[in-house]
Amino acid sequence: MILKQFYLNCLAHASYLIGDEESRVAAVVDPQRDIEQYLTFTREHDLRITHVFLTHLHADFLAGHLELRDRTGATICLGAAAKAEYPFLALHDGDAIDLGRVRIEALETPGHTRESVSLLVFDLDRGETHPYAVLTGDTLFVGDVGRPDLHGTFGWSAASLGSLLYDSLRTKLLALPDDSLMYPAHGAGSLCGKALGRETFSTIGEQRRSNYALQPMSKEAFIELVTADQPDAPAYFTYDAVLNAKERPTLDESLAAGLKPLRLEQVLDLQRTGAQVLDTRDPVEFAAAHLAGSQNIGLGGQYATWAGTILSRQHPIVIIAEPGREQESAIRLGRIGFDHVVGYLQNGLHSLESRPELTASTERLSPALAAERLLSNEPPQVVDVRGPHEYEAKHIEGSLCIPLNHLAERVQELPADRPLLVHCAGGYRSSIAASLLQQQSFGRVSELAGGMAAWEAAGLPLSLVAV
């Protein structure tokens, strides 16, 4: 038996390939949309993909089930409660697919979504009744369980899905042997839960002992616990959940249509008519020089998640990237279904060398200089764009907390007559925020270089909350 995990750090997403060395057949579970790594693996191991499973209609990324179907002829498999535009094999409790001496058996485990399934994996040479592993999708994570509050727009309340989740965990997953390996679809950093562990796999027994949501409690207490303090879900989550059920263009088709070189004048014309100019370079490079009015979201961080949070789906996107990274910038947008890229600036920022009047910069202040400015006759308003819990633990005295995901809707709270000093934990989110504020015509915006980490390292004062 082959069981291979593929982990995508920027989306904290785990996908899987399960195969049988004797029959040379395989299945892929919860694939990302750019599928070349699965095809490369099957070529290297002389495997043929016959099935592609989605444990549910994911909200945080666009899956690669249509891409694999079109490239390999694989049958798409979904939970029986799913509704989709494309043909699929509906999986009920106990339905099984044999890949030679490897068996994949479905467990209906609704709760995160109505159609959620978990997949038992049996190595038939070891036994037909004792599962080797279970792929739990977003039903059970390492250290957490799937949030039940994402499907209100589909008519499912958090309480009703929470009730189903309670039953799925206790009657289905906790009924499995303790030594069953447990492989979830997400890890730490995912917004599909609130306390996901850093490990990318575990066992049912370990989760039974250590997972807060699996401890003995009433259904009412469980629902209250798992619905409290969940992180804000980006608006694109609903969009992706819907799109995962639709017949739509593949990633290759979208890239062929949208990834085209554009002259500077073409980019400027598109910008004037409402296109979003997305600069995917490192925040330090962006701060030094960028096209005025462009939005920075660097490839070095949680690029796709923040792009889906900050950018509009209604306006086309033009990419400015480090030369050679244009395709990567577009592919990673495509992973969340943002296919409205219309091109990229040919030669990147080098195109602006003869047009210095089009460039802008963002002042980056060392902690010492920022502290000096705060003691000046015209101190800047410190804008902390970290999350509420980060701010509550420690913050700079007098700072205003506006989390980055709410900044666009709360800019009216910022003083128009004072300079602004923006910071986050390390400098990634603050660059996104500073570029957004400059788009909103705030003329005196600077960043704290290195963020809160640099401020603390410099020994500068903080307001701390006692634990």
Side-chain angles (χ1 to χ4, degrees):
M1 184 179 70
I2 298 169
L3 200 165
K4 166 71 173 175
Q5 182 185 72
F6 299 84
Y7 198 80
L8 182 63
N9 281 299
C10 65
L11 286 173
H13 163 221
S15 54
Y16 301 89
L17 185 143
I18 303 165
D20 176 53
E21 288 185 333
E22 183 176 334
S23 65
R24 320 311 302 179
V25 294
V28 179
V29 180
D30 292 332
Q32 62 191 62
R33 196 178 178 200
D34 44 320
I35 61 170
E36 201 57 44
Q37 62 184 337
Y38 313 114
L39 301 179
T40 298
F41 187 89
T42 56
R43 284 193 296 269
E44 291 173 348
H45 293 80
D46 190 25
L47 297 169
R48 178 172 56 92
I49 298 172
T50 58
H51 294 79
V52 54
F53 294 82
L54 296 189
T55 55
H56 61 290
L57 298 171
H58 294 270
D60 63 312
F61 71 96
L62 194 58
H65 50 300
L66 301 188
E67 283 79 2
L68 280 170
R69 178 200 65 185
D70 289 357
R71 290 284 293 275
T72 70
T75 298
I76 297 172
C77 305
L78 303 175
K83 295 180 173 61
E85 291 181 352
Y86 43 82
F88 65 90
L89 178 63
L91 300 175
H92 297 86
D93 258 340
D95 287 348
I97 292 171
D98 285 347
L99 309 171
R101 297 296 295 164
V102 176
R103 176 172 295 158
I104 300 175
E105 182 178 315
L107 280 181
E108 291 184 276
T109 51
H112 177 64
T113 69
R114 180 62 186 87
E115 78 285 352
S116 290
V117 293
S118 297
L119 301 171
L120 298 175
V121 180
F122 293 89
D123 181 345
L124 298 181
D125 289 333
R126 302 185 188 193
E128 298 189 4
T129 59
H130 195 100
Y132 171 78
V134 57
L135 277 58
T136 54
D138 284 11
T139 300
L140 176 62
F141 300 124
V142 176
D144 204 355
V145 295
R147 59 190 296 180
D149 64 329
L150 294 179
H151 278 240
T153 55
F154 301 108
W156 288 93
S157 69
S160 60
L161 283 176
S163 176
L164 293 174
L165 182 61
Y166 180 90
D167 292 337
S168 293
L169 292 166
R170 281 155 175 78
T171 65
K172 302 287 183 68
L173 294 179
L174 287 181
L176 299 174
D178 276 357
D179 63 351
S180 301
L181 292 171
M182 189 275 287
Y183 291 97
H186 290 96
S190 169
L191 297 175
C192 294
K194 60 184 177 180
L196 282 71
R198 296 197 173 278
E199 299 82 3
T200 61
F201 69 97
S202 183
T203 65
I204 290 295
E206 176 57 32
Q207 292 310 297
R208 189 192 310 276
R209 290 186 293 273
S210 63
N211 192 312
Y212 76 96
L214 301 185
Q215 303 314 302
M217 68 185 80
S218 68
K219 180 178 287 189
E220 292 73 20
F222 172 84
I223 293 171
E224 183 177 356
L225 183 65
V226 299
T227 55
D229 299 320
Q230 290 287 0
D232 291 340
Y236 80 88
F237 271 29
T238 299
Y239 172 73
D240 277 12
V242 171
L243 203 54
N244 272 318
K246 290 186 174 296
E247 186 74 54
R248 41 86 185 152
T250 65
L251 180 60
D252 285 344
E253 291 169 336
S254 296
L255 292 174
L259 196 59
K260 299 174 180 176
L262 301 172
R263 300 185 313 275
L264 176 59
E265 290 304 323
Q266 292 176 291
V267 171
L268 295 175
D269 286 344
L270 286 163
Q271 188 180 36
R272 280 190 288 268
T273 56
Q276 305 166 99
V277 179
L278 172 63
D279 192 320
T280 68
R281 295 176 301 143
D282 181 87
V284 174
E285 296 174 348
F286 179 85
H290 55 265
L291 177 65
S294 57
Q295 172 69 59
N296 180 231
I297 306 176
L299 290 172
Q302 289 186 304
Y303 166 76
T305 298
W306 283 116
T309 301
I310 300 297
L311 300 179
S312 166
R313 298 192 306 276
Q314 281 70 49
H315 297 279
I317 297 171
V318 176
I319 290 170
I320 298 178
E322 198 68 38
R325 302 194 75 180
E326 300 88 356
Q327 184 174 39
E328 178 188 356
S329 301
I331 286 174
R332 289 172 63 179
L333 290 177
R335 288 174 181 164
I336 60 165
F338 273 48
D339 288 349
H340 45 294
V341 174
V342 294
Y344 62 91
L345 178 60
Q346 194 169 24
N347 300 319
L349 211 69
H350 299 300
S351 299
L352 295 175
E353 289 174 353
S354 62
R355 300 289 302 276
E357 76 279 6
L358 297 175
T359 64
S361 61
T362 307
E363 187 179 29
R364 289 170 59 85
L365 305 181
S366 68
L369 182 54
E372 185 179 316
R373 294 267 182 97
L374 290 173
L375 296 174
S376 68
N377 292 329
E378 191 183 16
Q381 172 62 61
V382 179
V383 183
D384 187 335
V385 297
R386 297 175 302 154
H389 294 304
E390 293 172 281
Y391 181 84
E392 289 165 7
K394 54 191 171 186
H395 57 267
I396 297 172
E397 188 70 41
S399 60
L400 176 64
C401 179
I402 303 182
L404 176 56
N405 57 318
H406 292 293
L407 184 60
E409 69 203 50
R410 292 178 58 185
V411 291
Q412 72 280 358
E413 298 177 30
L414 297 174
D417 58 348
R418 286 178 64 184
L420 302 177
L421 174 60
V422 185
H423 83 87
C424 61
Y428 182 79
R429 285 173 288 178
S430 63
S431 184
I432 300 173
S435 58
L436 190 154
L437 291 172
Q438 288 172 330
Q439 288 177 348
Q440 298 286 335
S441 300
F442 286 90
R444 296 184 291 171
V445 180
S446 58
E447 281 186 79
L448 174 60
M452 180 61 76
W455 183 270
E456 285 190 276
L460 292 163
L462 288 170
S463 290
L464 299 174
V465 177
V467 178

